[in-house]
Each structure stands twice: as C-alpha cells, then as structure tokens.
Amino acid sequence: MPAESDMTKDRAVRLLWEYHRMHQPPEPADIIFVLGSNDPRVAVHAARLFLRGLAPLLLFSGGTGRFTAGQSVSEAERFARVAGQEGVPPRCMLIENRSANTGENIRFSRALLEREGVAVRKVLAVQKPYMERRTFASMQVQWPGVETRVSSPPLTFEEYLTPELTGDFVINAMVGDFQRVLEYPKRGFAAEQPVPGDVMRAFECLVSLGYTAQLMR
C-alpha cells in the first residue's frame, strides 16, 4: 500500500468512490426500496430494475433532506414521476413522503408496508453510488430480519458528475458519508463496516485538502 505522502487527490477520490459502491449484483426481491435524494438517475435505475422483473413493487421514500430543502414536491413524489415516465404503472408504486434522513426512510417505510399488509423478507435498496454502503449498514441495524442488497446507477466518479453535481460537491458529499459510515455504528444507527487502511488514508487526504463541508461537527 502507498505511504500517506503518496496519496494523491485523484487516487483518494477513486478509492473512496469504490469503497462506497458495494458491487452487489441485483437479485429478485419482494420490493425495490428507493431512498430519495437530489439525483433523479436513482429513480431511473430503480424503474429499470422493476421493468426487468426484479420485484413487484417500488417503494419511494423521501420528504426533503440535506440537499433537497426548498423543493416544491417531495423526493419520493419526484422520483415516482420519473419512474412513471420510464413506464412503471402507478399501481406498482408506494410513496412515503415524510422522511428527512436514512433512518426515517427505513422506519417510515416499514410502517407504511405494515399498514398496506405487504410482507417483506428480501429488499433491493436503491441509492446514489456513494451512499450504497451507508444504506446497507443502516438496513442491517434498522430493518433486521430482511435480506438486503443495494444497487445504484452503474457510473464511475467522472460519469456521475453533472453541471449541478460538480466534482467538489460530490467529493464533499462522499467524504461526509464516509464519516457517517464510521460514526453511526457508535450511535446505534448502523452496522460496523470493514475499512481498509488505504481507504482511511484516502478519507484523511481529502479532509486535509479541505473537503469538510458535509462532515458532522
């Protein structure tokens, strides 16, 4: 492994990006659980998984969060519209539109499924690439008893960037998410995850370069 002094910004970004992505092949599930965000490509990816026949139901979860405050519609409703444009029938979608963070996504969605009488043993959770691991870790603790796989749009870091989702914005976001992967198990929010040494050095490198905007204080 390279010494810390050899850790360039580009290498650090790629190491952290690939750490967040768990590379789990999608498998059939009882529901596709779509966690809302500021990126509609997540909804497109979820819709395509549904249209492949991987689950009979899409559950969109999300009110507003860190990056979507001020939207005129909830994350879940926006994503459901995108899925409808991709060809998903409205009868195959459920919407949870009150949650403001990953824990509430899970808790409120579980309650909605219970009210609807939907039994769930296997979940295919869909998120942004740099939130796959934190979602997986959160599901392990906050939705015990179900088998979870995670999926996201299959994009490299460079492919993920857009005029709105700039390099600096995304690096700040994934540095913040990595910190949460470390800290949330201590608070009982998520399961501990293995962290290779080079990935920890990548995080420390990016923090030292000033990518601290989304760190918890």
Side-chain angles (χ1 to χ4, degrees):
M1 287 183 280
E4 186 173 356
S5 59
D6 296 330
M7 182 68 72
T8 65
K9 174 185 168 181
D10 285 348
R11 175 170 168 76
V13 166
R14 280 159 181 75
L15 280 168
L16 210 56
W17 181 262
E18 289 305 316
Y19 175 76
H20 283 303
R21 296 180 65 221
M22 299 190 70
H23 302 283
Q24 296 179 333
E27 293 183 353
D30 297 308
I31 63 164
I32 297 172
F33 176 38
V34 191
L35 291 88
S37 70
N38 58 339
D39 187 353
R41 290 174 294 182
V42 174
V44 172
H45 181 63
R48 291 175 181 173
L49 293 174
F50 171 85
L51 294 170
R52 283 170 51 187
L54 291 180
L57 188 65
L58 277 169
L59 194 167
F60 293 98
S61 176
T64 58
R66 278 186 292 161
F67 300 139
T68 56
Q71 282 189 175
S72 59
V73 298
S74 70
E75 295 167 353
E77 289 162 324
R78 183 186 182 205
F79 275 21
R81 291 178 186 175
V82 172
Q85 292 166 358
E86 292 292 316
V88 178
R91 68 179 182 278
C92 298
M93 294 188 273
L94 290 175
I95 293 176
E96 180 288 299
N97 61 4
R98 298 185 298 120
S99 54
N101 55 55
T102 301
E104 289 183 354
N105 286 144
I106 297 169
R107 187 166 69 253
F108 295 169
S109 294
R110 290 182 66 184
L112 173 60
L113 290 168
E114 289 174 8
R115 291 195 300 271
E116 295 289 331
V118 179
V120 175
R121 294 180 299 277
K122 190 169 183 178
V123 174
L124 178 54
V126 180
Q127 249 292 11
K128 294 178 287 191
Y130 64 82
M131 287 190 69
E132 276 195 22
R133 188 173 293 274
R134 182 158 73 87
T135 299
F136 180 78
S138 298
M139 290 286 289
Q140 288 183 301
V141 168
Q142 300 190 48
W143 202 338
V146 301
E147 179 184 347
T148 301
R149 296 184 77 82
V150 292
S151 184
S152 66
L155 302 170
T156 66
F157 173 77
E158 289 81 7
E159 291 168 342
Y160 186 76
L161 303 182
T162 70
E164 294 76 29
L165 301 175
T166 64
D168 284 350
F169 179 94
V170 176
I171 294 171
N172 272 307
M174 69 177 184
V175 166
D177 264 77
F178 181 82
Q179 182 200 37
R180 287 161 175 80
V181 168
L182 299 178
E183 294 297 324
Y184 279 7
K186 303 172 188 176
R187 306 183 185 195
F189 297 160
E192 289 190 12
Q193 298 293 297
V195 180
D198 58 351
V199 173
M200 181 62 75
R201 288 195 296 275
F203 167 70
E204 293 167 350
C205 172
L206 293 172
V207 169
S208 74
L209 291 173
Y211 290 100
T212 60
Q214 292 302 322
L215 291 180
M216 298 184 298
R217 305 301 176 186

